[in-house]
Amino acid sequence: MTEAALRNPVLEAIYSRRSVRHFTDEPVAPELIEEIIRAGTWAPSGLNNQPWRFAVVTGRELKARFEPLTKYRKVIEMAPVLIPVFVDKKAMYNEVKDHQAMGACIQNMLLAAHSLGLGAVWLGEILKSADQVRQLLSLPENLELMAVIALGHPAHRNQSSTRKGLAEVIVFKDY
Amino acid sequence: MTEAALRNPVLEAIYSRRSVRHFTDEPVAPELIEEIIRAGTWAPSGLNNQPWRFAVVTGRELKARFEPLTKYRKVIEMAPVLIPVFVDKKAMYNEVKDHQAMGACIQNMLLAAHSLGLGAVWLGEILKSADQVRQLLSLPENLELMAVIALGHPAHRNQSSTRKGLAEVIVFKDY
């Protein structure tokens, strides 16, 4: 982390956020769940079309029905909250740009969760079961699953991660 | 903004960030440009494949060659820095998930810029000229333009925006 980041809580959050896959039993207050979703909605989207839609699943029985739909069943089992995130196909205008907007939305949610002392992980592998997730929630076909966010109070924060250095990812500069 | 957000600088940044399209003449320090790119790289990506690549354009003559490639030529003209953001097709593993990761990366960059007192706008319309942008920078075909971020010191911050309320975007909840 650079000097600038040390004094900047937004950069600090961006650099210290990690995927959290182990949670305590403590439930998450509905106000916090809604704050995280609100943060998602403040992502930018092309033409401000806001194509994102959200489900919130906290009930043990319903949550258990998600477990066979992914190889990350243990994360689902342990997380007190699942937020399946959908794109509304009726609101889309450009596939690439709308999928980017969904990513921006999800990143806002992950940063919001982290800033509120919660932990979260972005589950993508479960997209192989996108239709089943939609059907579990009795949602219409115009809603396409984009990710499931598993959320809770972190059991620990010892997840580490690495990134390529800037020299590897900056492919052109003229300064 | 909720009570929680007022006391939380990450939420505050997420809610107060706006697209900035008018910039002062002041150049942006290279350290800040690199901090913004570094923030982008700390987005999550599927399998941690980090498919993002970045170009930095600050020279007046080169920047002018971007102007005919978009209807937002005035933004390009005014912005002291352009950051064309590419996906490396050789690093991709899943089109939808990689495009989402690119969106998460770009959102980190926009939040980082905002947190550093800079202004930025995510330009997507210029994707119609993706190949020309790539060729202007003499970059190989495996790099596909995903967005151009125009960056600078904001001339003002009176841009407003709106979002749907939570009741419109939460399509299922069981709490």
Side-chain angles (χ1 to χ4, degrees):
Chain A
M1 206 177 306
T2 62
E3 281 288 314
L6 287 171
R7 288 173 275 108
N8 181 314
V10 175
L11 291 171
E12 202 280 329
I14 286 171
Y15 295 143
S16 62
R17 181 205 57 80
R18 293 289 177 278
S19 295
V20 171
R21 298 181 180 84
H22 299 95
F23 306 96
T24 70
D25 289 339
E26 192 184 344
V28 179
E31 304 78 57
L32 295 184
I33 298 172
E34 291 178 6
E35 191 76 57
I36 288 164
I37 294 173
R38 186 177 294 109
T41 69
W42 277 90
S45 56
L47 313 179
N48 197 22
N49 69 338
Q50 308 173 56
W52 34 69
R53 303 291 181 267
F54 309 89
V56 184
V57 176
T58 61
R60 198 172 284 263
E61 279 179 36
L62 180 55
K63 210 162 61 64
R65 298 187 65 191
F66 283 71
E67 292 173 18
L69 304 180
T70 166
K71 68 179 179 187
Y72 299 107
R73 60 181 305 148
K74 293 230 163 154
V75 178
I76 301 277
E77 194 184 339
M78 210 172 187
V81 183
L82 301 181
I83 308 181
V85 182
F86 299 86
V87 68
D88 184 347
K89 289 192 263 187
K90 288 184 187 169
M92 290 176 76
Y93 83 110
N94 176 294
E95 196 153 335
V96 172
K97 295 177 195 178
D98 287 320
H99 289 156
Q100 291 178 342
M102 294 306 303
C105 165
I106 294 166
Q107 178 64 0
N108 269 6
M109 296 172 76
L110 298 178
L111 290 172
H114 180 67
S115 79
L116 292 165
L118 299 167
V121 60
W122 175 341
L123 301 174
E125 189 257 358
I126 196 170
L127 295 196
K128 72 183 181 192
S129 308
D131 280 340
Q132 292 100 305
V133 168
R134 184 176 57 72
Q135 286 158 10
L136 271 184
L137 305 173
S138 303
L139 293 171
E141 285 186 15
N142 57 300
L143 298 184
E144 184 185 345
L145 190 68
M146 289 279 105
V148 173
I149 297 174
L151 177 73
H153 291 270
H156 62 80
R157 291 193 176 275
N158 54 22
Q159 177 83 23
S160 68
S161 193
T162 59
R163 290 296 186 279
K164 297 179 199 294
L166 290 192
E168 270 187 88
V169 293
I170 297 180
V171 294
F172 177 96
K173 61 179 180 177
D174 68 358
Y175 61 86
Chain B
M1 207 178 302
T2 61
E3 280 289 313
L6 287 172
R7 288 173 274 108
N8 181 314
V10 174
L11 291 171
E12 201 281 330
I14 286 170
Y15 295 143
S16 62
R17 181 205 57 80
R18 293 290 178 276
S19 296
V20 172
R21 297 181 180 85
H22 299 95
F23 306 96
T24 70
D25 288 339
E26 192 183 345
V28 179
E31 304 78 58
L32 295 185
I33 297 172
E34 291 178 5
E35 191 76 57
I36 288 164
I37 293 174
R38 184 177 295 108
T41 70
W42 277 90
S45 56
L47 313 179
N48 196 21
N49 69 338
Q50 306 172 59
W52 34 70
R53 303 292 181 267
F54 309 90
V56 184
V57 176
T58 61
R60 200 172 283 263
E61 280 179 37
L62 180 56
K63 209 162 61 64
R65 298 185 65 189
F66 284 70
E67 291 172 19
L69 304 180
T70 164
K71 68 178 179 187
Y72 299 108
R73 58 181 306 148
K74 293 231 162 152
V75 178
I76 301 276
E77 195 185 337
M78 211 172 186
V81 183
L82 302 180
I83 307 181
V85 182
F86 299 86
V87 68
D88 184 347
K89 288 192 263 186
K90 288 185 186 167
M92 289 177 76
Y93 83 110
N94 177 293
E95 194 152 335
V96 172
K97 295 176 194 177
D98 287 319
H99 290 156
Q100 290 178 342
M102 294 306 304
C105 165
I106 294 166
Q107 179 64 1
N108 269 6
M109 296 172 75
L110 298 178
L111 291 172
H114 180 67
S115 78
L116 291 165
L118 298 167
V121 60
W122 175 341
L123 300 174
E125 188 258 0
I126 197 171
L127 295 196
K128 72 182 180 191
S129 309
D131 281 340
Q132 292 100 304
V133 168
R134 184 176 58 70
Q135 286 158 10
L136 271 183
L137 304 173
S138 303
L139 292 171
E141 284 186 14
N142 58 299
L143 298 184
E144 184 184 345
L145 189 68
M146 288 280 105
V148 172
I149 297 174
L151 177 73
H153 292 271
H156 62 79
R157 291 193 176 276
N158 55 22
Q159 178 82 21
S160 68
S161 194
T162 58
R163 290 297 186 279
K164 296 179 200 293
L166 290 192
E168 272 188 85
V169 294
I170 297 180
V171 294
F172 178 96
K173 61 179 181 176
D174 68 357
Y175 60 87

